[in-house]
Amino acid sequence: MRNYLDVLQKIEETGVKAWLVGDTVRFLEMGIQPEIITLAIDAQDMYHVARTLGTGTVDARGPYPALRGELLGVPFRAFGLRGVTIEDDLAYRDLSIEAIAIRSDGGFVDPFNGRLDIRNKVIRLTGDNVELIDADPLRILRMLRFAAELEMDIFWKTETDVRKFLEVHADRMSEIPSERWGREIMKGISRRPHRFIEICDDYDLLPYFMSELDNLRSISDGNGKTLYEHTLNVLEVIESRLDTNRLMQNDAFVLAGLFRYIGTQKLDGSDRTKVTDRKIREIMTRWNIPSGTIDEVISIIDGFKKYYSPITEEKFCADVLEFSPEAVEISLEFANCVAESEGFFDEYSDILENNKWNLAQVLRRFNNVSLQTEGASRYLTGREVMSLLNMRPGRRVGELLDGLDMAVGTGKVNSRAKAEEWLKAQNA
């Protein structure tokens, strides 16, 4: 903690009182090193601190101005106090585990026993104050997100108050804008998708933010399971691998698991249509998901099943060049997760493993280009091709470059000299 206290003390040398707050304190209490520290200072002092220290810029957009900068090699963000005192500020925070501050002398300000709740792995409304969710009902989803991500239990009184609020104020939940739902949902599924959806279901929240998922519980696969259960099964497999598999940390991967059966009436998905894809796109657009991510999600859902058949290196090479290495890797990995979640992994394990090997060979060859050319993606540029073959700019140059990429990916070309030989042979 010493380094973080040094930052506090440095700020206080400007004559401004400062505290460590929020996620920074929670991380430290949980033995996690924060990547960026969060501070609270008087909002009127932000410009003074920036000028005096000669670092940081003030972002005054939105309701909560912030000073962002770096001190002693530590990135920081300082928000203005809400209220007059630090105790006032902490009382505005929705959860007790976030309503803790640390002074520059290392002492704690913990009026709501948040440190005890962290130790007991309990999520509690700050001060057991139900008015906090009345002020912003989306705090319920935030609370469930923390419970899922941190694997904490919800304190009995908080649970009782929240359930009662949902019974009485269902209309308030319906009024929450879709993009606000989307922000919290993305945070919730990025680490613990299965647990997060399960706990949202337990609080009957699914109809508010994704009725299409809730509807899947009424669609049977014909073998005693619903499509909703199948969705949870694949999310459970994804969650079990999230911490160790970098591919699954891509937002599109988890979203594909969540949306796989949306609009589908059959387990095999053979009736998927453009209408179905349009529905998926419509929901994610409402959530303000970037269009590129939406395209990835639909591509994964529509294309992963082809990997249950043998794929040649030539086909993998073509897919890598058309989409991207990561997109192809993700689709293949998704096929593995679905096979495991549906119980037919053993049936396709040899095919999936062989496909994984073929893809690895293609990616290794493309990576060798980068290693041999100090980071370039090709052995030869378009300009070099024109010079070598005495050609003018035009479509033919692009065709030759595309063909050369295929030759590299399939192992026919593995050096600059071989690339030149291949080009001359094509133009002979």
Side-chain angles (χ1 to χ4, degrees):
M1 188 190 297
R2 182 71 256 164
N3 204 24
Y4 307 118
L5 295 182
D6 291 341
V7 172
L8 275 181
Q9 291 163 4
K10 193 73 174 175
I11 290 178
E12 292 194 345
E13 287 175 9
T14 69
V16 171
K17 189 66 178 171
W19 297 264
L20 293 175
V21 293
D23 55 356
T24 297
V25 180
R26 173 170 57 81
F27 283 146
L28 292 172
E29 281 294 288
M30 296 175 69
I32 302 170
Q33 182 172 333
E35 294 182 3
I36 181 171
I37 65 173
T38 304
L39 311 168
I41 63 176
D42 193 308
Q44 297 179 350
D45 293 326
M46 288 185 180
Y47 289 100
H48 168 74
V49 171
R51 285 194 304 270
T52 305
L53 294 176
T55 183
T57 57
V58 177
D59 182 358
R61 296 171 296 178
Y64 305 116
L67 168 63
R68 304 178 192 275
E70 184 175 307
L71 272 176
L72 305 177
V74 179
F76 72 88
R77 55 191 178 188
F79 295 98
L81 283 175
R82 288 172 287 181
V84 178
T85 67
I86 185 61
E87 288 80 7
D88 292 338
D89 181 88
L90 297 178
Y92 277 102
R93 298 172 185 269
D94 46 6
L95 302 176
S96 65
I97 62 173
E98 295 280 288
I100 315 168
I102 299 177
R103 301 188 302 265
S104 59
D105 63 2
F108 286 85
V109 183
D110 186 14
F112 306 105
N113 295 316
R115 297 171 72 200
L116 181 62
D117 286 341
I118 290 174
R119 286 196 290 273
N120 290 334
K121 303 197 74 173
V122 168
I123 298 289
R124 181 201 306 256
L125 286 173
T126 299
D128 294 325
N129 183 6
V130 74
E131 291 183 5
L132 288 167
I133 57 175
D134 187 49
D136 184 3
L138 192 67
R139 281 173 162 157
I140 295 174
L141 196 64
R142 174 175 157 82
M143 176 191 76
L144 300 184
R145 171 170 69 82
F146 271 90
E149 181 178 337
L150 302 177
E151 298 184 349
M152 290 184 170
D153 295 322
I154 297 173
F155 184 60
W156 68 268
K157 187 177 187 309
T158 293
E159 178 175 358
T160 300
D161 289 342
V162 167
R163 290 189 185 277
K164 187 179 297 183
F165 179 90
L166 288 170
E167 288 177 8
V168 177
H169 299 291
D171 57 321
R172 298 286 309 281
M173 305 304 293
S174 301
E175 294 169 357
I176 297 174
S178 297
E179 63 270 17
R180 294 196 69 207
W181 282 112
R183 283 196 295 272
E184 285 299 322
I185 292 164
M186 288 305 300
K187 292 176 182 176
I189 67 173
S190 64
R191 293 290 304 279
R192 297 289 179 262
H194 176 261
R195 180 171 165 80
F196 176 68
I197 294 299
E198 268 201 330
I199 197 170
C200 286
D201 186 22
D202 184 49
Y203 279 77
D204 297 321
L205 288 181
L206 297 186
Y208 294 109
F209 66 78
M210 197 174 172
S211 59
E212 295 85 356
L213 176 60
D214 192 53
N215 293 340
L216 293 181
R217 67 177 80 249
S218 65
I219 303 174
S220 172
D221 67 357
N223 296 303
K225 270 190 173 183
T226 68
L227 296 192
Y228 177 77
E229 290 174 296
H230 283 283
T231 299
L232 286 190
N233 286 346
V234 73
L235 289 178
E236 186 172 21
V237 171
I238 290 172
E239 181 175 308
S240 71
R241 302 181 182 183
L242 265 174
D243 292 333
T244 57
N245 191 317
R246 65 170 182 83
L247 292 173
M248 295 186 186
Q249 294 164 13
N250 179 299
D251 287 342
F253 198 104
V254 183
L255 284 168
L258 182 63
F259 280 88
R260 181 191 166 200
Y261 287 111
I262 297 302
T264 299
Q265 299 300 312
K266 295 181 181 178
L267 184 61
D268 64 8
S270 60
D271 63 344
R272 291 193 59 83
T273 64
K274 292 181 180 179
V275 174
T276 300
D277 290 346
R278 190 159 58 243
K279 187 64 178 177
I280 294 174
R281 189 178 297 277
E282 175 189 317
I283 298 170
M284 285 193 281
T285 299
R286 289 203 309 262
W287 289 358
N288 208 26
I289 305 297
S291 60
T293 301
I294 296 174
D295 290 341
E296 283 186 68
V297 172
I298 292 175
S299 176
I300 293 170
I301 293 173
D302 287 347
F304 78 92
K305 291 176 185 173
K306 68 183 178 183
Y307 296 116
Y308 297 133
S309 298
I311 306 295
T312 65
E313 289 187 8
E314 287 78 10
K315 183 62 172 71
F316 268 125
C317 184
D319 284 351
V320 166
L321 293 173
E322 181 177 356
F323 304 108
S324 72
E326 186 178 56
V328 178
E329 284 183 286
I330 285 174
S331 292
L332 178 54
E333 194 62 44
F334 191 77
N336 276 270
C337 286
V338 170
E340 182 177 333
S341 70
E342 303 289 15
F344 54 74
F345 180 80
D346 289 345
E347 180 182 352
Y348 292 98
S349 60
D350 289 344
I351 292 174
L352 289 168
E353 192 61 32
N354 190 59
N355 283 341
K356 188 174 182 179
W357 168 262
N358 285 343
L359 175 59
Q361 303 318 301
V362 172
L363 297 182
R364 175 182 57 80
R365 293 170 189 139
F366 283 126
N367 187 55
N368 283 339
V369 177
S370 179
L371 294 175
Q372 293 179 40
T373 60
E374 298 182 354
S377 60
R378 284 170 163 159
Y379 284 119
L380 296 168
T381 66
R383 187 179 298 275
E384 288 171 327
V385 169
M386 289 187 289
S387 175
L388 181 68
L389 302 179
N390 194 25
M391 297 177 63
R392 293 181 178 275
R395 179 183 300 177
R396 179 58 178 161
V397 176
E399 291 173 348
L400 287 171
L401 286 171
D402 290 343
L404 180 56
D405 286 338
M406 280 292 294
V408 169
T410 53
K412 298 172 184 175
V413 169
N414 58 14
S415 68
R416 181 186 175 93
K418 290 285 187 182
E420 292 180 356
E421 287 180 15
W422 183 91
L423 279 170
K424 290 175 181 176
Q426 303 307 305
N427 208 47

